[in-house]
Amino acid sequence: MRIGLLGPLEVRNDDGAAVEITGARLRTLLSALALEPGRVVSAGRLVDAVWGTSPPATANALQALVSRLRRAGARLDSTPSGYRLPEATVDAARFEELVTAARTAPDEKRVVLLREALRLWRGPALGDVSDAQFFQGHIARLNELRLTATEEYAEAVLRLGHGADLVGELSRLLAEHPLRERLAAALMLSLQAAGRPAEALQVFARIRTALADELGTDPARELSAAHTKILRETMADQGEARTNLRAGLTSFVGRNAEVTRVAKLVGEYRLTTLTGPGGAGKTRLATETGRQLLTERGGVWFAELAPITDGADVPQAVLDALGLREQMYTGSLSSGTPRERAVRALRDRDAVLVLDNCEHVIEAAAELAEHLLGECPRLRVLATSREPLAVTGEALWPVEPLALPAEGATPVEAMSCSSVRLLADRAAAVRPGFTVDESTVDDVVRICRALDGMPLAVELAAARLRSLTVPQLAARLDDRFRLLTAGSRTALPRHRTLRAVVDWSWDLLEPDERQLLRRLSVFSGGATAEAAEAVCGGTSELLSALVDKSLLTVSEDDEPRYRMLETIKAYGLEQLTVADEREELRQAHAEWFASFAETGDKFLRRAEQIEWLARFAAEHGNLISAVRGAIAAGEATTSLRLATSCAWFWMLTGHKTEAQELIEAALALPGEADRELRAMGYAMAALLLTVGMTDETSADALGRKALELSRDSKNSLLRFLVPVYAQTGDNGVLMSALDELLSDEDPWLRAQTLLRRSRVVLNVWHDAAAQEADVREAVRLFRQSGERWGMSLALNSLAEVLGRRGELEEAVSCYEESIRVISEIGSAEDILFARGRQAHLFWQLGDEAAAAAAVAAAERDARTVSFPDSLAFLAQTKAELARWRGDPAEARRELNRAEALLSEVPPHPLFRAMLQHSHAYLDAEAGDLPSARDRRREALAMAAEAGEAPYLATVLVGVADHALRLDRPVAAADLLAAAHTIRGGPDLALPDATAAEAAVQAEPSGTADDPVALAYDVLT
């Protein structure tokens, strides 16, 4: 029997007569067997092939199908484990045999074998079953082998000198597989063999652009080699030199898309200038663009201006590039000035002139370019310079650093960035076997980021890997100018070391430009024009001049920011030290940003919050460097001014750990500082510790220190601390202090006070109605003030109130508004809290899909959160959901994960109580009542000590569950009644409470005089 799989299923008997196999399942079964002729295919695999994810209900369905196949004429062997198709001739197997044999044959025989193999194809592989999941791997393997065989066939035909006939077939295949480089190379060589080299070069240009745009990669060496071969042979055939471009000695990495775009600019504009800092790769980009333009223009000539020192020599450099030395020519090309001779040589040419490295002779280069373009109508000029030529009609293409990997990038993510690919390519040349993998990726990312992705710096760094390991190189980049000195001996002197690159730019500056550039190095993350003028004495004209000379970049923000590359910054700091200005500029920088932060801090609690958060975020690097510099200099007052004014910003934007460290370091400095300033330092340190679910013990001590220093303060933040940290057992005194703050004109302070009072009235008097009234008013006042963080806290509190009394949909809406509000300031850890609570409410509403969606959204948000307490809360949320849906194993895993996250961070006692509370339910449900009892005793102790009514009530519900398991229903009823009293009503948002109350519904209950004592009695 002969079976065809390379197209629609075709079956013939040994005499060649067609055998009709009808029915989709029968054809699928035969296809699965024919893929492995002579081998046993298990029954299970055959069932998967025929029925997929819907296996038959009866065990003999496969056997019945096999019987039908035999009746149709197929010979099948039965074995204990499956079935076998013996002695069949299958075209797919024959195809593979022929391709394998061809690979070891000489080209003449290889062509014959591969032609025979490819003729076996009649259409798409396994055409009858192409949609079945079982066959996808086989189809992909056969299709790939077919393409490879086609490429091997084409290459063999080309080597035999008969490639011209392949153009049509290869063109069709490349259209179907536009990123297949081996296919493209074969088509290019086929086109050249057919006398169509220009089309071949266009094929290369298209695939190079496609690779850059879609995959972020460069052409492989084999494809580049085909391109170079065609170029050289084309130029040789023309008999006259069309270029003086030299062949590249290294691969061209990361800018293929730019080549295409710059070539397009050259076509649209008479003058195009590539601008950028030294080492950015302007020359190499111009060279590669010139190679591409050779396919479109009559010639490309490269004039290197770096070696000349006098602008008067620029025209002669152009003549040298054109090969027009005086001793070689007579007649019109030998007389006149160099400029006149250059005009006569280029007047009738359709050519591109590349003027490379114009910056040190910028006036002369600009004048010559303008003159040549005016006199030579078919000429195009492509220039490279660190500043524009400033000629009318000039198009500019800024040559940016190569793409940088993100911190923490994986090897795959890192290699998608051109800076990393360049480093890897050059490193492999000096350290064979070098790869970017898990062991090297972190240091490679650090190197590329430290060097700003500047190609020359990256290549110099790669050269150092001859003698240094990657970690050693990464660790030594702080001394980059001494380290990166291993450039090519044949390179221009200013390209042999990193210092020489920057020296060249520095030496071209005017004195006032040098002064401003070195002073700007004190900034971290750039500067606004206002800050640059105040700190450095610069002007907008000088800033623009440094931008034009590619030593600064300028953003397109509403308030433009001027930035410098890290290498330029390091050089500027050196020059700042040489000028003995470093300490003076550090102090000016710190003073400016201390004033900036003090001005902006108050707006962070007003309607202008979003605007000022953005301004603080833009200056984050400057603020951090300013406070660290002041701390290092021992300046207590400046350090505290900066740290305390930035603390609210740091808290809102997830930098609380760093903020805590800086504030504590500033507080530890000796020396005099204003009492209120120190009080603010202690207050903000305490506040940062209370944001989250970590232990607040140290926060209490810091808060009391702030209180001691600020009793008569008018500052809103400090005044808010009075009722928070005042140690008094008199609730009347506490309420009086709160009431006094409620008369303040600041709506933000009144709102915060109401939130605080809402907790007091519930914890002390169990007045849920008064709590709700305070929370609703707090929401109104926060809306009035425009402060989003406080508004989200108030909305969360309102959601909890609504949820407890059963208004679950309204509670969900409050959390949704809280998420929307807090998202405006980007506080992801607060979003996690609201989404977790939403998930619980959705579960209680019976909407499991919405609960799962809320958890999934929280998990996405969690990717940007680094705080272990926030991640632990999310894990505990998932654990409760798993427990409620009856998955104790998953619940236990999530609880263990929460505890692991908090292993090095002491959790808040209330959060620890909730973890123990959840564990206790799981223990009890598993029948381990002693463990459940111990955990509930611990949770009860912590909740009772904290005095927070909702948490204590929740723990009492858990103890009531325990009482029910001990067959003490009356005690359970009493505990549930006590929980009801403590929280000021039922908790209809808590499934545990609902379940427990249903279990004791028929039991009488009273009010326990001491519910905590009763709970301990149950747990004894």
Side-chain angles (χ1 to χ4, degrees):
M1 177 175 285
R2 288 178 287 176
I3 302 174
L5 298 178
L6 301 179
L9 180 67
E10 182 180 83
V11 184
R12 295 183 180 275
N13 61 27
D14 293 338
D15 297 330
V19 177
E20 187 175 359
I21 306 293
T22 59
R25 287 180 179 169
L26 215 58
R27 296 171 74 82
T28 301
L29 176 61
L30 182 57
S31 297
L33 288 163
L35 282 169
E36 302 184 52
R39 292 194 294 272
V40 175
V41 184
S42 71
R45 293 190 64 221
L46 291 174
V47 169
D48 288 343
V50 176
W51 286 279
T53 58
S54 302
T58 60
N60 63 353
L62 177 62
Q63 186 177 354
L65 203 59
V66 168
S67 297
R68 287 178 55 197
L69 191 56
R70 283 173 173 155
R71 289 196 297 273
R75 294 193 300 273
L76 298 182
D77 294 338
S78 298
T79 74
S81 58
Y83 298 90
R84 177 175 55 217
L85 184 69
E87 302 175 2
T89 299
V90 181
D91 60 357
R94 177 62 179 159
F95 170 70
E96 295 192 48
E97 291 170 3
L98 288 168
V99 172
T100 301
R103 286 172 174 166
T104 57
D107 281 338
E108 292 83 356
K109 181 65 173 176
R110 182 177 300 183
V111 167
V112 173
L113 291 171
L114 290 173
R115 184 187 298 121
E116 181 182 351
L118 291 168
R119 283 176 178 169
L120 292 171
W121 285 76
R122 297 169 291 104
L126 294 157
D128 286 61
V129 293
S130 59
D131 294 333
Q133 183 61 38
F134 176 86
F135 294 95
Q136 296 310 305
H138 297 288
I139 293 171
R141 181 178 60 81
L142 288 169
N143 286 338
E144 175 62 25
L145 188 57
R146 182 187 189 183
L147 277 172
T148 303
T150 303
E151 292 163 345
E152 293 173 358
Y153 173 74
E155 290 163 357
V157 171
L158 285 162
R159 286 193 294 270
L160 293 173
H162 308 300
D165 296 335
L166 301 173
V167 170
E169 175 66 9
L170 294 177
S171 296
R172 182 185 64 77
L173 286 174
L174 187 62
E176 295 174 5
H177 307 278
L179 299 180
R180 199 165 180 96
E181 296 180 72
R182 192 176 180 183
L183 200 59
L187 174 58
M188 289 164 59
L189 295 171
S190 179
L191 284 164
Q192 185 193 28
R196 298 154 63 180
E199 293 177 56
L201 295 172
Q202 290 171 1
V203 169
F204 179 78
R206 286 197 298 271
I207 193 170
R208 178 168 60 179
T209 301
L211 288 168
D213 290 345
E214 297 186 31
L215 303 180
T217 61
D218 304 315
R221 285 185 173 87
E222 293 78 5
L223 182 58
S224 296
H227 176 244
T228 301
K229 176 179 182 295
I230 294 168
L231 271 179
R232 288 173 176 168
E233 292 181 7
T234 302
M235 291 166 59
D237 290 344
Q238 293 172 346
E240 178 184 346
R242 297 176 56 233
T243 186
N244 65 336
L245 291 172
R246 298 180 62 192
L249 300 180
T250 57
S251 59
F252 184 58
V253 177
R255 296 198 189 276
N256 284 299
E258 287 186 67
V259 168
T260 302
R261 295 186 181 109
V262 172
K264 184 179 180 183
L265 277 181
V266 173
E268 294 174 351
Y269 298 88
R270 301 284 310 285
L271 169 62
T272 301
T273 303
L274 308 181
T275 62
K282 301 183 296 295
T283 297
R284 186 64 188 273
L285 178 56
T287 301
E288 295 298 327
T289 303
R291 294 190 212 288
Q292 178 161 324
L293 290 168
L294 266 174
T295 66
E296 306 169 14
R297 301 286 166 185
V300 177
W301 307 97
F302 190 92
E304 173 57 76
L305 305 186
I308 67 177
T309 57
D310 189 332
D313 294 330
V314 172
Q316 185 60 50
V318 172
L319 287 177
D320 292 344
L322 294 168
L324 301 181
R325 296 178 178 83
E326 291 181 26
Q327 66 270 27
M328 297 177 60
Y329 285 84
T330 59
S332 65
L333 293 180
S334 64
S335 62
T337 66
R339 189 174 81 164
E340 291 169 343
R341 294 172 61 216
V343 168
R344 290 197 294 271
L346 292 169
R347 175 168 286 138
D348 298 322
R349 294 197 189 193
D350 176 19
V352 176
L353 175 63
V354 180
L355 297 178
D356 189 45
N357 292 302
C358 298
E359 55 271 354
H360 62 304
V361 287
I362 191 75
E363 298 292 341
E367 190 277 331
L368 179 64
E370 184 176 47
H371 184 75
L372 289 175
L373 290 170
E375 297 293 328
C376 308
R378 300 173 66 196
L379 177 67
R380 309 275 167 159
V381 174
L382 174 60
T384 76
S385 177
R386 300 190 187 183
E387 60 181 304
L389 298 191
V391 172
T392 301
E394 177 183 30
L396 298 178
W397 182 267
V399 181
E400 305 287 349
L402 296 175
L404 291 174
E407 293 180 1
T410 65
V412 172
E413 291 168 341
M415 283 297 288
S416 70
C417 298
S418 49
S419 60
V420 175
R421 294 202 305 277
L422 178 63
L423 179 66
D425 181 87
R426 303 302 190 257
V430 300
R431 184 184 282 267
F434 175 85
T435 59
V436 178
D437 54 25
E438 292 294 344
S439 66
T440 59
V441 64
D442 289 342
D443 288 315
V444 166
V445 167
R446 180 179 170 191
I447 291 166
C448 291
R449 290 181 64 85
L451 297 177
D452 306 296
M454 296 297 288
L456 178 62
V458 170
E459 294 196 3
L460 291 172
R464 271 297 189 182
L465 291 174
R466 285 195 296 265
S467 56
L468 296 175
T469 65
V470 182
Q472 287 172 334
L473 177 62
R476 298 184 186 188
L477 284 178
D478 287 343
D479 195 12
R480 66 186 68 195
F481 293 116
R482 283 199 295 175
L483 179 68
L484 302 183
T485 57
S488 170
R489 290 189 179 93
T490 60
L492 291 168
R494 61 188 177 84
H495 279 172
R496 294 178 190 172
T497 71
L498 189 61
R499 179 177 294 282
V501 172
V502 188
D503 280 341
W504 171 267
S505 296
W506 180 261
D507 290 341
L508 296 177
L509 297 178
E510 299 297 329
D512 53 353
E513 293 172 336
R514 292 182 190 175
Q515 180 188 68
L516 178 57
L517 186 64
R518 70 173 179 255
R519 290 180 172 181
L520 285 170
S521 65
V522 76
F523 288 92
S524 296
T528 62
E530 181 185 10
E533 181 176 355
V535 175
C536 307
T539 64
S540 58
E541 291 77 11
L542 282 176
L543 287 169
S544 297
L546 292 175
V547 171
D548 287 342
K549 295 179 179 180
S550 301
L551 291 166
L552 295 179
T553 62
V554 60
S555 71
E556 297 181 357
D557 302 328
D558 292 338
E559 186 174 21
R561 296 185 65 78
Y562 296 86
R563 293 183 173 86
M564 60 176 62
L565 299 174
E566 287 301 310
T567 295
I568 304 298
K569 175 179 170 66
Y571 188 92
L573 287 171
E574 283 190 359
Q575 297 300 322
L576 203 58
T577 301
V578 170
D580 197 24
E581 293 179 331
R582 193 158 183 169
E583 179 58 19
E584 174 189 344
L585 265 292
R586 184 200 65 75
Q587 290 179 2
H589 176 269
E591 177 59 35
W592 165 261
F593 283 103
S595 297
F596 166 88
E598 287 169 339
T599 299
D601 177 50
K602 58 179 176 291
F603 291 108
L604 295 179
R605 292 175 294 281
R606 297 183 185 175
E608 300 90 347
Q609 184 180 51
I610 299 300
E611 173 194 345
W612 275 91
L613 280 172
R615 296 185 66 177
F616 269 84
E619 302 295 1
H620 187 218
N622 282 310
L623 294 165
I624 290 290
S625 66
V627 69
R628 290 194 184 281
I631 290 170
E635 297 171 350
T637 295
T638 302
S639 300
L640 283 170
R641 287 176 63 201
L642 280 159
T644 57
S645 298
C646 292
W648 196 263
F649 161 72
W650 286 330
M651 181 193 72
L652 292 180
T653 54
H655 296 89
K656 63 182 183 181
T657 303
E658 186 175 32
Q660 191 73 35
E661 169 205 333
L662 293 173
I663 292 173
E664 290 180 1
L667 287 169
L669 290 175
E672 290 298 322
D674 181 79
R675 280 174 59 88
E676 186 165 297
L677 188 57
R678 281 199 176 277
M680 182 61 74
Y682 286 119
M684 294 312 301
L687 181 61
L688 289 165
L689 285 173
T690 62
V691 177
M693 288 169 288
T694 51
D695 192 351
E696 297 180 1
T697 304
S698 54
D700 291 339
L702 292 167
R704 287 192 293 274
K705 286 184 180 180
L707 191 61
E708 293 169 4
L709 294 169
S710 63
R711 291 192 179 276
D712 298 324
S713 173
K714 301 299 182 184
N715 183 287
S716 294
L717 280 175
L718 290 175
R719 292 180 66 206
F720 176 60
L721 286 173
V722 174
V724 175
Y725 294 109
Q727 298 298 302
T728 175
D730 189 333
N731 291 321
V733 172
L734 176 60
M735 291 298 288
S736 176
L738 290 170
D739 290 342
E740 181 181 346
L741 293 179
L742 289 175
S743 63
D744 195 274
E745 63 181 16
D746 183 352
W748 179 87
L749 178 56
R750 299 203 307 277
Q752 287 285 5
T753 302
L754 285 164
L755 275 187
R756 172 63 180 167
R757 191 174 75 173
S758 72
R759 290 172 59 188
V760 174
V761 296
L762 184 66
N763 291 337
V764 176
W765 291 286
H766 313 302
D767 189 341
Q771 178 199 24
E772 180 177 352
D774 280 351
V775 169
R776 287 189 180 278
E777 179 63 8
V779 169
R780 188 189 71 80
L781 289 171
F782 276 125
R783 286 188 172 128
Q784 180 182 330
S785 71
E787 204 275 282
R788 278 81 168 173
W789 183 70
M791 195 187 307
S792 76
L793 293 181
L795 286 165
N796 291 344
S797 296
L798 181 57
E800 290 183 15
V801 170
L802 294 171
R804 283 201 301 269
R805 71 164 181 246
E807 297 178 19
L808 305 187
E809 290 87 352
E810 291 81 356
V812 166
S813 297
C814 282
Y815 281 126
E816 192 60 40
E817 184 180 357
S818 172
I819 291 168
R820 186 170 61 253
V821 165
I822 204 67
S823 295
E824 293 183 40
I825 60 177
S827 183
E829 59 272 17
D830 293 304
I831 295 174
L832 289 190
F833 175 85
R835 289 206 190 279
R837 294 299 193 203
Q838 260 192 334
H840 283 183
L841 290 171
F842 280 130
W843 174 267
Q844 188 74 335
L845 284 165
D847 192 341
E848 295 183 33
V855 170
E859 288 174 331
R860 289 194 296 272
D861 293 328
R863 295 171 190 165
T864 62
V865 173
S866 59
F867 302 124
D869 52 344
S870 297
L871 298 175
F873 167 78
L874 178 57
Q876 196 255 353
T877 295
K878 293 165 67 178
E880 290 291 81
L881 288 171
R883 178 169 67 84
W884 293 336
R885 69 171 179 264
D887 189 350
E890 176 66 15
R892 189 78 77 183
R893 279 193 295 271
E894 291 294 343
L895 288 175
N896 291 339
R897 180 169 177 266
E899 291 180 326
L901 284 165
L902 295 171
S903 59
E904 297 182 7
V905 180
H908 192 287
L910 287 174
F911 187 54
R912 174 68 180 165
M914 291 301 98
L915 291 175
Q916 292 294 74
H917 169 77
S918 297
H919 269 301
Y921 266 102
L922 294 174
D923 289 343
E925 289 164 7
D928 190 354
L929 288 182
S931 177
R933 177 197 61 210
D934 293 342
R935 289 185 185 276
R936 282 178 165 143
R937 284 179 65 89
E938 184 178 349
L940 179 62
M942 289 184 286
E945 174 68 22
E948 289 287 336
Y951 291 91
L952 178 57
T954 297
V955 172
L956 290 178
V957 169
V959 180
D961 172 83
H962 199 82
L964 287 169
R965 295 175 191 275
L966 295 175
D967 197 22
R968 296 183 59 180
V970 175
D974 287 345
L975 288 167
L976 292 173
H980 188 291
T981 300
I982 287 171
R983 69 171 88 87
D987 190 348
L988 300 179
L990 182 63
D992 297 326
T994 305
E997 295 201 9
V1000 301
Q1001 191 171 19
E1003 296 296 332
S1005 64
T1007 302
D1009 293 334
D1010 189 345
V1012 173
L1014 175 58
Y1016 275 119
D1017 177 65
V1018 169
L1019 298 173
T1020 299

